[in-house]
Amino acid sequence: KQMNDIKPQSNIPGENKSFRVEWSLSSFAAINCILVVAIFAFINNPDQISDFSSQWPFPILYFIEIIAIGIVGIIAVGFLQRQEKSNWSAIFWICSGILLSFVILGAWTIGFFLLPAMVVYLVLGILSDKRTGNDIPRHLIFLVAAGIAQSLIVFLTLIG
């Protein structure tokens, strides 16, 4: 082959349209998670933001968890783009399930504002499963299990 016959690899991150969509959606969800936490932390306790101990352990642990979900979603997109057949798409379903718990249990407070991130992670899970040929019904079970687990954690902390 001649040098001008060599074509670049098509699996370079960001080159494929579906990868750009996944990066954009994941970034939106992460920004949504971080902004919602920042706004609620400031609105609910503007004088206590500097006093970390007044918010420990709750709601700070929930806030940290929500921010971690956003970060993990971006990491999952990065790993998902490196492999053609990958189980990293399950992370989107798990993130969506955890956020579903916050959306339902915190419906009158923070939950409504986390709804966009939850829906975006669900869409990301479906898109990445379609692209990689993963099993959507199995990942739907991950969503339900993550939602139930998060709900149990919330309830156990409330009664404990």
Side-chain angles (χ1 to χ4, degrees):
K1 286 188 166 187
Q2 296 179 357
M3 285 298 274
N4 56 2
D5 289 342
I6 299 174
K7 298 189 181 188
Q9 292 180 341
S10 62
N11 61 354
I12 296 172
E15 190 169 299
N16 191 337
K17 184 179 178 183
S18 66
F19 289 148
R20 285 192 303 266
V21 169
E22 289 174 2
W23 274 113
S24 299
L25 289 174
S26 180
S27 297
F28 171 80
I31 290 169
N32 178 248
C33 289
I34 292 167
L35 282 178
V36 166
V37 166
I39 290 168
F40 267 82
F42 184 75
I43 288 175
N44 290 332
N45 298 320
D47 298 329
Q48 297 176 351
I49 292 297
S50 60
D51 186 15
F52 186 75
S53 63
S54 68
Q55 295 187 34
W56 185 261
F58 302 106
I60 290 292
L61 285 179
Y62 295 141
F63 288 168
I64 291 170
E65 183 179 7
I66 293 167
I67 291 171
I69 288 169
I71 294 168
V72 166
I74 289 177
I75 292 169
V77 170
F79 279 106
L80 187 63
Q81 291 183 6
R82 293 183 184 176
Q83 303 167 357
E84 189 61 35
K85 181 73 172 167
S86 173
N87 288 323
W88 279 93
S89 61
I91 297 296
F92 301 132
W93 293 89
I94 294 168
C95 289
S96 186
I98 293 170
L99 288 176
L100 176 64
S101 173
F102 283 116
V103 166
I104 292 171
L105 298 176
W108 304 117
T109 57
I110 198 169
F112 176 75
F113 300 99
L114 290 172
L115 185 62
M118 187 215 71
V119 171
V120 166
Y121 281 127
L122 182 60
V123 168
L124 275 167
I126 293 168
L127 289 176
S128 60
D129 279 352
K130 292 268 188 190
R131 183 175 54 79
T132 59
N134 281 329
D135 190 16
I136 291 176
R138 178 175 56 115
H139 286 164
L140 186 60
I141 293 170
F142 291 173
L143 180 144
V144 172
I148 291 171
Q150 179 61 41
S151 297
L152 287 174
I153 291 169
V154 170
F155 285 132
L156 291 176
T157 58
L158 289 176
I159 63 171

